[in-house]
Amino acid sequence: MNRHGALEFGKAQISSMISTFADFVMTAAIFSIAAHVVFSTAAGAVTGGVVNCIINYRWTFNGTTRSKRSVAMRYALVWIGSVILNTAGTEWGVKAVNAICYCYAGHTQTRLALVLAVKAVTSILVAVFWNFLMQKHYVYRRAVTRD
């Protein structure tokens, strides 16, 4: 990876951390009220996705020649995949951990800690292997002009 690529990857990870923070705050707030894994995870993903798109457009991949509309449409497609992967991964992860140690039956705070821990692992995997690659090569890639 060259210097520019490393800088871009670093910026993407900072953007991801900021948007993940927003995601987790929303997830925790919704789960504390509704105690529903899928709904709280999806609501957090929406919040994090909006924050991430704005930061990436203005800072991380600021060299894009695509219009805001084009970026928004492409980002929405990638983001839908991200929401599905994060939501399903968190739900399946919670079910798997619960099947092994039955720790989901505790207090709401214990259940929230489990959901957030599984969500953290899932979100790291999705951020590196889906979000970054799709955003770099599909969403924010410079538009190719044809002569």
Side-chain angles (χ1 to χ4, degrees):
M1 182 181 302
N2 63 22
R3 183 176 175 204
H4 175 73
L7 179 62
E8 195 171 61
F9 183 75
K11 284 180 167 184
Q13 298 319 300
I14 291 168
S15 173
S16 181
M17 285 188 280
I18 293 167
S19 58
T20 297
F21 177 76
D23 177 339
F24 275 56
V25 168
M26 182 59 74
T27 299
I30 299 293
F31 189 84
S32 295
I33 295 167
H36 193 275
V37 174
V38 174
F39 181 68
S40 61
T41 301
V46 169
T47 303
V50 170
V51 169
N52 188 258
C53 186
I54 292 168
I55 293 171
N56 284 343
Y57 185 81
R58 295 188 176 178
W59 182 61
T60 307
F61 301 104
N62 62 355
T64 188
T65 55
R66 296 193 185 282
S67 68
K68 289 180 182 178
R69 182 179 179 161
S70 174
V71 166
M73 290 184 337
R74 287 169 175 258
Y75 188 91
L77 290 173
V78 171
W79 174 74
I80 288 168
S82 180
V83 169
I84 291 168
L85 291 168
N86 275 295
T87 303
T90 301
E91 181 183 21
W92 295 338
V94 167
K95 286 179 178 179
V97 171
N98 191 43
I100 294 168
C101 66
Y102 200 69
C103 42
Y104 196 69
H107 295 91
T108 302
Q109 289 178 342
T110 304
R111 294 190 322 236
L112 176 59
L114 171 64
V115 169
L116 293 179
V118 171
K119 182 176 174 68
V121 171
T122 303
S123 68
I124 289 168
L125 294 171
V126 172
V128 173
F129 295 108
W130 174 260
N131 294 345
F132 176 73
L133 295 174
M134 292 299 289
Q135 288 175 17
K136 178 176 177 60
H137 297 291
Y138 176 67
V139 177
Y140 299 103
R141 182 182 58 132
R142 291 178 185 262
V144 177
T145 57
R146 303 198 194 273
D147 295 326

